[in-house]
Amino acid sequence: MLLLNCPYCGVSAEETEFHAEGEAHLKRFGPGSEDQDFESYLFMRKNPKGVHFERWRHANGCGKYFLAARCTMTLEIFGTYSAQTHEPPKHVQDAIRAKRPTWEWGAS
């Protein structure tokens, strides 16, 4: 069971209080974009063995979306943060590097 913390309302709860929404930090393509870019956005997702960034919604609470950094092998949560960020904040990246010293943002 995952234990997540909502960065907005501060509630820490089991994953059943939240709803997983898929991969985080995806680049969205708008009108006028190439078909290949839009197809990639819709269908191509990472499935890493290790650190993964996910979008979650506090479904049974404040209802807001947030992002979480999680290890897909151990289910360890490194941190949660606002959905309005383009990359993980420093404290989340530091938490990941504390357990995986060779990890770098954007590599994978």
Side-chain angles (χ1 to χ4, degrees), residues 1-2 49-51 70-78 99-100:
M1 178 78 47
L2 298 176
K49 182 179 181 181
V51 178
R70 176 177 76 87
C71 178
T72 59
M73 296 184 310
T74 64
L75 301 182
E76 177 181 9
I77 303 292
F78 297 106
K99 298 280 179 117
R100 290 161 182 75

Side-chain angles (χ1 to χ4, degrees), residues 7-103:
Y8 296 105
C9 64
V11 170
S12 290
E14 295 176 349
E15 66 186 287
T16 54
E17 174 144 340
F18 303 94
H19 186 265
E21 297 282 338
E23 187 176 341
H25 303 292
L26 294 175
K27 180 177 180 185
R28 289 157 174 79
F29 294 93
S33 63
E34 298 291 324
D35 288 345
Q36 184 177 358
D37 291 334
F38 192 63
E39 177 187 18
S40 175
Y41 165 71
L42 287 177
F43 301 112
M44 303 307 290
R45 295 291 183 262
K46 294 177 184 173
N47 188 17
K49 182 179 181 181
V51 178
H52 187 52
F53 297 92
E54 304 169 329
R55 181 177 165 102
W56 287 80
R57 181 172 175 266
H58 193 175
N60 295 330
C62 66
K64 293 186 177 182
Y65 289 91
F66 64 91
L67 305 180
R70 176 177 76 87
C71 178
T72 59
M73 296 184 310
T74 64
L75 301 182
E76 177 181 9
I77 303 292
F78 297 106
T80 59
Y81 52 100
S82 167
Q84 286 75 33
T85 59
H86 295 289
E87 68 178 53
K90 184 177 182 332
H91 74 275
V92 173
Q93 291 188 37
D94 290 345
I96 296 168
R97 281 192 203 98
K99 298 280 179 117
R100 290 161 182 75
T102 59
W103 178 86

